[in-house]
Amino acid sequence: MRRFRRLRASEELRSLVCETRISKKELIYPIFVAEGENIKSPVDSMPEVYQYSLDRLSEVLDKIAESGISGLLIFGIPSHKDELATEAYNDNGITQCAIRLIKEKYPRLLVIADVCLCEYTSHGHCGVVHGSEICNDETLPLLARMAVSLAKAGADFIAPSDMMDGRVAAIRAALDENGFANIPIMSYSAKFASGYYSPFRDAAQSAPCFGDRRSYQMSCTNGREALREIADDIDEGADIVMVKPALAYLDIVRAARDRFDVPIAAYNVSGEYSMVKAAAANGWIDEKRIVMENLTAIKRAGAGIIITYHALDAAKWLEEI
Ligand code: PBG
Ligand code: ZN
């Protein structure tokens, strides 16, 4: 009989043979910045997540800086939205101002800037719309302009989440031409059309006003296609690739880890967070235990970077271990 239980006999032994450890440095926390004053507005579907205005942003930035995690992913919510998402590439837009403020006060926090038009368009789609069509090639220059504007504001990373074809190449070329050859791209390469994003769309006020995102985001049925998307983004110049959502797509994370040599990020998205929070609030699960189990699963599957709304709690819990 093989006695596996020998190495499980004490906490010390279990810790010695532990195969998967999460570091705070692997965690990234998403934040929402809204235009206006004195705003700390709760997102109903995401307990403990708020939209902040610039004047109150330091309330969450202090927590992020104290937590010891590597950085944040920033989403801006402009008050003016239009067909061409002009606020997305306004150098004095809400996201650009927030990035400047963060880099001034907290230069050591990594600021990852999400690049997509959906928070900025009046129709809520991630690209330029004609009739009922979301136009790919017309969207690319706008994304490139947005990326350059965010880099100018001081973003450490550009993270395109729109799922237009060719956007990584377009953004890379624009960054290089404008003196940002050293700004890396973290591409949402395998981003699936997912029901798990609905709480985020409350948080970012970015739900499409007609149709859905299935003509640009991937179908949850297609694992091989996800690997082609990732390969293509790496060819186009992505420095880090992302799989999103995380928990229902751990097979993609694992396949990507085995096949590619670039760093892999996974986005533990809003719906994944809200489900855990709801069950915990009802006393049906032990929140800390479930969160750490989920994050461990994402890491074990092969993600070296985890974007999660649990990051601040997890950082605390990791300290206790
Ligand atoms: C915007 C974007 C979305 C998310 C990140 N960037 C939503 C979407 O595609 O509708 C989802 C994040 C989450 O659910 O936590 N393109
Ligand atoms: Zn979008």
Side-chain angles (χ1 to χ4, degrees):
M1 178 169 42
R2 212 177 280 285
R3 293 198 178 273
F4 289 104
R5 293 185 54 190
R6 275 187 209 120
L7 296 180
R8 294 176 198 153
S10 69
E11 188 47 45
E12 291 72 20
L13 272 170
R14 291 191 291 270
S15 174
L16 178 72
V17 299
C18 170
E19 296 181 26
T20 309
R21 280 197 167 85
I22 298 171
S23 156
K24 293 197 277 188
K25 292 295 170 201
E26 294 162 338
L27 302 179
I28 300 289
Y29 185 65
I31 63 168
F32 301 96
V33 187
E35 231 170 286
E37 264 164 47
N38 195 25
I39 299 170
K40 180 184 178 185
S41 162
V43 178
D44 290 339
S45 50
M46 300 178 73
E48 287 155 62
V49 172
Y50 300 86
Q51 295 178 350
Y52 294 91
S53 52
L54 282 179
D55 55 337
R56 296 190 64 176
L57 196 56
S58 54
E59 293 175 32
V60 66
L61 295 175
D62 286 340
K63 285 191 196 151
I64 300 172
E66 277 162 30
S67 74
I69 66 171
S70 281
L72 56 90
L73 175 62
I74 183 165
F75 295 97
I77 303 145
S79 37
H80 170 76
K81 306 191 185 214
D82 58 34
E83 293 264 309
L84 291 176
T86 49
E87 282 302 301
Y89 38 88
N90 172 358
D91 288 346
N92 292 311
I94 180 66
T95 316
Q96 287 82 350
C97 290
I99 293 172
R100 275 194 294 271
L101 180 144
I102 298 166
K103 291 312 290 188
E104 220 165 86
K105 285 201 184 161
Y106 309 83
R108 299 191 51 207
L109 278 183
L110 283 177
V111 174
I112 303 171
D114 187 272
V115 169
C116 193
L117 304 186
C118 56
E119 291 113 71
Y120 303 87
T121 50
S122 37
H123 44 69
H125 274 290
C126 303
V128 175
V129 167
H130 283 307
S132 60
E133 199 189 331
I134 298 35
C135 301
N136 194 87
D137 298 10
E138 276 175 55
T139 303
L140 300 182
L142 303 189
L143 295 169
R145 243 174 111 176
M146 179 180 184
V148 170
S149 176
L150 296 168
K152 250 192 245 165
D156 296 294
F157 261 100
I158 294 301
S161 69
D162 53 281
M163 288 301 278
M164 298 299 125
D165 290 321
R167 93 275 208 200
V168 173
I171 290 172
R172 184 70 272 161
L175 288 173
D176 292 354
E177 274 163 31
N178 286 277
F180 298 108
N182 288 324
I183 297 294
I185 295 176
M186 177 190 287
S187 180
Y188 291 65
S189 304
K191 178 173 179 180
F192 291 87
S194 171
Y196 286 104
Y197 304 150
S198 39
F200 174 93
R201 291 178 191 166
D202 293 342
Q205 288 153 11
S206 64
C209 70
F210 68 89
D212 55 40
R213 304 210 201 287
R214 287 176 214 265
S215 75
Y216 41 108
Q217 298 179 348
M218 291 192 52
S219 163
C220 65
T221 56
N222 292 3
R224 288 189 295 270
E225 188 186 346
L227 298 177
R228 290 173 54 210
E229 281 276 9
I230 294 170
D232 207 55
D233 278 7
I234 295 171
D235 275 352
E236 288 185 29
D239 300 280
I240 297 179
V241 295
M242 194 197 298
V243 175
K244 175 188 174 187
L247 291 169
Y249 298 86
L250 293 182
D251 57 327
I252 313 293
V253 174
R254 168 46 55 197
R257 179 65 294 153
D258 289 344
R259 186 170 311 191
F260 304 108
D261 291 326
V262 297
I264 295 189
Y267 196 149
N268 178 213
V269 299
S270 56
E272 298 176 320
Y273 172 85
S274 299
M275 288 181 354
V276 170
K277 294 301 268 189
N282 276 290
W284 296 336
I285 55 165
D286 174 342
E287 180 176 352
K288 171 178 164 185
R289 193 167 169 190
I290 291 288
V291 168
M292 295 318 291
E293 190 169 332
N294 282 348
L295 297 181
T296 300
I298 295 168
K299 174 95 193 261
R300 196 186 62 235
I305 300 166
I306 304 175
I307 301 167
T308 178
Y309 303 94
H310 298 292
L312 299 181
D313 289 330
K316 254 182 250 148
W317 295 328
L318 284 167
E319 224 135 80
E320 295 166 11
I321 295 169

